[in-house]
Amino acid sequence: MKYRADIDGLRACAILPVLFYHAGLPFFSGGFVGVDVFFVISGFLITRIVADEVTQKRFSLIGFYERRARRILPALIAMIFASLAAGWFVLLTDEYVALGESTVAAALFYSNVHFALSFDYFARAAEFNPLLHTWSLAVEEQFYLFFPPLLMLLLAIGRRQTVLIITIVLCIVSLICAEYVLHRYHSIWSFYLLPFRAWELGLGAVLALASWSPPRNRLIREFAGIVGLIGVLVPTFAYSADTQFPGLYAVPPTLGTALLIYVGGQGGGSVSNSIISHRVLVSIGLISYSLYLWHWPVFAYLRILYGTTALPIYVSLIAMALSILLAYASWRFIEQPFRFRPPKGPSRSLVMRLSVSFLVVVSAIGASLSLLNGFPHRLSEKAIEIASVAQDVNPIKTDCQHASPEPLGCEFGASDSGQASYDFLFWGDSHANALAPGIAVSASEHNKSGVFATRSACAPVFNIQRTKPDRACVEFLENVRSFLDENQDIPLIILSARWALSVEGNRYPVDGNGTVRLQWVGGQDESPLNASNSSVFEAGMRHTLSHLSSPGRRIVILGPVPEVTFDVPIEYARAELLNANTMRSLPYNTHLARVSQTEGIFEKLAASDPNIEYISLSSLLCDEIECRVVSEDGVPLYTDDDHLSATAARSLLPLKLETLWGAAD
């Protein structure tokens, strides 16, 4: 296949937005679409080569996989070893175990599946994982595991035109499934898993199989080139983390890429193709694979050291420069020497055996990190003790996290004998789960028995939901509603949640800066005056409190627990590991700015009904200057950045609830 400079330039148009997006530069909020551009380019080039070799009866699967090994493995293995070496000095035991698991997944090219299954509500932000970016390599290699043999078989038994039609049908099915899964099941599956990304690689394959000549009319070529360039560039600036991606929103950048490849084919070209063929872009495109490999660990380790996903701009600029230097060195001294087999070089079979051997070694090293618990001897006993607080969670957390539990929740307090009636219902999300040990202690002291209903990321509010709805949360809320309708005699209902997240709609950078947008799903007669999070939330709370109200029943709302701007046990343990004196706290003004709007809503609701009580929890940890994040002996009070530890809940919360049970008698 004749070399095309515009395709290398197109690679630059893919990697630069990815780099700028990960650096957190302004205006590149949709830079993640660069990966989709890579998928189309890869699908086109590989299919073109394979189809031509099959047609000419000189295709060899061993030869194909040998070329892939030479192209992919040397730089990948070097990057993994460098990440493991850095982790030895920087990562805590749990983090090193996670890196080991990611290493095995990356070496065996199933990291997309690994990350799709391992990220849950309590997982640390993905931006802290040094090997997260290998998911896209896994998607490609899984595609090339089955597509070349399938292509070889189809071309052997049918015409190229028939194979083209089959490929088009498969792409359409993949896109439909991606859009369906994105909205009906889990967006992570649609993002990471091959069946829902295959259509993007397949689009490039369609272009290669069709072998369409570019339009002869210059105006048509120019128009197509401009449309293609717009399709690639505009999403880079217009999309954001809130975009329902990939699915149909991935169509513009992928079609734009396909148009530019098509127009720039033999006998064609346009001004747009000339622009992306500029030598600066071509040079960047040549190192794009190494730049993709090396930039992410650089950013990930800097985020780990700074304890935040939002790096200072000067740090991001330095990281970009370092990434480019590493990428050039990787391209020059690793990629290029290994990419082509010299005439007297090792045989194909030897290359494949060496490749498999290296991957086995890398996998074994990764597995050893998991089996040996992250080599804890690297850390002092104090660092291990501090880090272990992350595991100090509600002991019944897992048992009480169900969408359709029977019974509804977990019985706790003075009695768990399964009595027909309860003194109270404690209902909420993961913040309620974190407070449950303190509620249990307090209830037992006052001889009260209750039931606990909880689901993470599912605030105890009817008639509202996130714009990216969780079907399990919807089901759980309906179960709670049914339970309450059947148990009108419960005299006390206690509500707890991460309220400020719903009201403010944003997170701190340590949580990945994700946003939460609420929408009203109730009747029009109760709908909020505007669509802001605070208005939607307040309307939902009014409806919920009205639904919960019944004669003789009290409703108590526990206020927000201070959300810290950093992961407390990890931050303090890493400071101990690195002998750094960077102990931070939470300024009270930061906490007040976060919760003032939320507390204002609750105070207004409590003032409107004598049976509704609001208990602020700020005083548990805060004075007028700062909010404590560790105990007097230096033990973290949080398991992460916003959940209290079980020990802290047991020691701090009962005193705050002294008046609660007396009023409920």
Side-chain angles (χ1 to χ4, degrees):
M1 180 179 171
K2 184 179 178 181
Y3 172 72
R4 287 180 53 178
D6 62 324
I7 290 183
D8 271 331
L10 197 52
R11 285 193 174 105
C13 294
I15 188 58
L16 288 177
V18 170
L19 180 64
F20 297 156
Y21 171 67
H22 290 156
L25 298 188
F27 311 118
F28 289 91
S29 59
F32 50 80
V33 302
V35 174
D36 305 83
V37 175
F38 274 128
F39 282 159
V40 178
I41 295 172
S42 184
F44 171 75
L45 292 176
I46 295 298
T47 304
R48 183 70 174 269
I49 292 169
V50 171
D52 288 349
E53 289 185 357
V54 169
T55 301
Q56 297 165 15
K57 300 186 184 305
R58 58 187 182 89
F59 177 72
S60 163
L61 275 177
I62 293 294
F64 171 77
Y65 291 124
E66 182 224 9
R67 292 196 300 268
R68 290 299 297 171
R70 287 179 173 277
R71 176 77 174 95
I72 297 297
L73 293 185
L76 173 64
I77 291 173
M79 181 274 296
I80 291 176
F81 276 128
S83 298
L84 291 171
W88 178 272
F89 300 101
V90 173
L91 299 183
L92 304 175
T93 53
D94 286 349
E95 294 172 323
Y96 214 26
V97 167
L99 180 61
E101 294 171 348
S102 300
T103 296
V104 176
L108 300 182
F109 295 106
Y110 72 90
S111 53
N112 59 327
V113 178
H114 170 70
F115 292 124
L117 296 178
S118 62
F119 287 141
D120 60 25
Y121 180 78
F122 292 97
R124 201 169 184 217
E127 288 85 347
F128 294 104
N129 191 306
L131 297 182
L132 176 70
H133 62 319
T134 60
W135 73 268
S136 64
L137 298 181
V139 169
E140 285 197 24
E141 296 316 305
Q142 290 163 15
F143 183 81
Y144 295 134
L145 187 63
F146 80 86
F147 188 68
L150 176 63
L151 187 60
M152 183 173 62
L153 176 63
L154 292 175
L155 287 173
I157 62 176
R159 296 184 307 162
R160 190 161 175 149
Q161 198 70 18
T162 304
V163 178
L164 173 62
I165 294 172
I166 293 173
T167 305
I168 291 173
V169 171
L170 291 175
C171 286
I172 293 172
V173 171
S174 174
L175 175 57
I176 292 172
C177 290
E179 182 69 11
Y180 180 79
V181 169
L182 176 68
H183 294 283
R184 295 298 299 274
Y185 288 97
H186 209 314
S187 60
I188 287 181
W189 295 357
S190 184
F191 189 90
Y192 283 117
L193 300 184
L194 174 63
F196 315 118
R197 288 286 196 165
W199 69 272
E200 300 180 33
L201 290 139
L203 181 59
V206 167
L207 197 60
L209 290 169
S211 297
W212 293 314
S213 298
R216 295 183 178 181
N217 186 293
R218 178 81 185 196
L219 288 177
I220 295 177
R221 291 204 308 273
E222 294 296 347
F223 177 76
I226 291 172
V227 171
L229 200 57
I230 289 173
V232 170
L233 295 181
V234 169
T236 298
F237 307 104
Y239 290 0
S240 71
D242 292 327
T243 303
Q244 297 287 313
F245 196 86
L248 291 176
Y249 276 101
V251 171
T254 52
L255 277 182
T257 304
L259 272 175
L260 287 168
I261 295 174
Y262 165 56
V263 171
Q266 188 174 6
S270 68
V271 172
S272 297
N273 293 91
S274 298
I275 291 172
I276 62 176
S277 297
H278 191 279
R279 61 183 180 180
V280 173
L281 291 177
V282 171
S283 298
I284 295 172
L286 288 172
I287 66 170
S288 60
Y289 173 59
S290 280
L291 184 53
Y292 182 79
L293 282 182
W294 289 95
H295 87 281
W296 182 261
V298 170
F299 279 102
Y301 275 112
L302 285 172
R303 293 187 189 106
I304 288 168
L305 291 173
Y306 276 84
T308 177
T309 60
L311 294 170
I313 187 65
Y314 74 91
V315 175
S316 290
L317 294 176
I318 293 173
M320 288 171 57
L322 177 60
S323 299
I324 293 172
L325 288 175
L326 287 172
Y328 176 77
S330 175
W331 173 78
R332 176 68 178 81
F333 299 109
I334 301 177
E335 275 194 69
Q336 290 300 99
F338 285 95
R339 187 166 184 180
F340 302 103
R341 181 164 57 92
K344 296 183 179 181
S347 65
R348 285 178 172 174
S349 60
L350 178 58
V351 170
M352 294 303 296
R353 288 198 298 271
L354 288 173
S355 299
V356 171
S357 298
F358 271 111
L359 293 179
V360 169
V361 170
V362 172
S363 300
I365 293 173
S368 70
L369 298 186
S370 299
L371 294 174
L372 299 177
N373 196 31
F375 294 99
H377 66 275
R378 298 177 299 115
L379 283 69
S380 67
E381 291 185 5
K382 185 176 180 181
I384 293 174
E385 179 186 0
I386 294 172
S388 67
V389 176
Q391 309 304 321
D392 183 18
V393 298
N394 177 10
I396 59 172
K397 181 184 80 170
T398 302
D399 295 334
C400 300
Q401 290 282 338
H402 303 296
S404 303
E406 290 293 342
L408 171 75
C410 298
E411 299 173 354
F412 70 147
S415 170
D416 57 1
S417 59
Q419 62 189 59
S421 61
Y422 302 102
D423 297 310
F424 68 95
L425 166 68
F426 184 43
W427 173 27
D429 61 8
S430 64
H431 276 217
N433 209 324
L435 296 180
I439 297 286
V441 169
S442 183
S444 296
E445 290 175 349
H446 292 82
N447 199 34
K448 300 296 181 183
S449 175
V451 63
F452 178 35
T454 179
R455 183 164 187 85
S456 297
C458 190
V461 187
F462 296 135
N463 281 15
I464 68 172
Q465 66 181 19
R466 299 182 181 185
T467 52
K468 295 182 179 179
D470 179 349
R471 292 171 63 87
C473 175
V474 173
E475 181 183 351
F476 177 70
L477 292 177
E478 288 305 311
N479 289 337
V480 174
R481 188 193 296 266
S482 299
F483 176 83
L484 289 169
D485 290 343
E486 296 170 3
N487 293 270
Q488 296 284 341
D489 58 339
I490 295 180
L492 174 64
I493 296 177
I494 308 170
L495 305 178
S496 174
R498 191 178 182 181
W499 305 114
L501 176 60
S502 294
V503 174
E504 300 299 328
N506 56 39
R507 308 173 190 268
Y508 287 134
V510 69
D511 266 348
N513 275 331
T515 58
V516 170
R517 293 288 175 261
L518 301 181
Q519 59 185 353
W520 179 256
V521 293
Q524 290 299 315
D525 55 327
E526 297 178 298
S527 63
L529 296 177
N530 59 65
S532 67
N533 267 30
S534 58
S535 293
V536 173
F537 177 81
E538 183 174 349
M541 281 301 302
R542 288 188 183 279
H543 170 80
T544 303
L545 295 172
S546 175
H547 187 86
L548 297 180
S549 295
S550 64
R553 172 180 287 173
R554 294 176 58 247
I555 303 169
V556 174
I557 304 170
L558 299 184
V561 170
E563 298 180 31
V564 190
T565 56
F566 56 92
D567 191 309
V568 181
I570 287 180
E571 180 87 2
Y572 275 68
R574 197 174 333 274
E576 180 69 23
L577 170 65
L578 301 175
N579 294 317
N581 296 317
T582 56
M583 303 304 188
R584 292 191 283 172
S585 61
L586 174 65
Y588 177 67
N589 287 339
T590 300
H591 167 64
L592 188 62
R594 177 72 172 171
V595 303
S596 58
Q597 185 174 203
T598 302
E599 293 204 321
I601 292 172
F602 288 144
E603 288 167 356
K604 180 167 51 174
L605 293 172
S608 67
D609 189 332
N611 292 318
I612 299 173
E613 180 182 355
Y614 174 61
I615 299 179
S616 173
L617 298 185
S618 295
S619 61
L620 283 179
L621 299 165
C622 304
D623 56 28
E624 295 181 353
I625 299 175
E626 66 178 10
C627 299
R628 290 183 298 137
V629 298
V630 296
S631 64
E632 293 181 358
D633 54 357
V635 177
L637 300 173
Y638 289 79
T639 59
D640 50 24
D641 63 298
D642 58 274
H643 296 89
L644 280 185
S645 69
T647 300
R650 293 188 189 102
S651 63
L652 297 174
L653 196 57
L655 184 61
K656 191 71 176 178
L657 302 179
E658 277 299 312
T659 60
L660 175 65
W661 309 110
D665 286 336

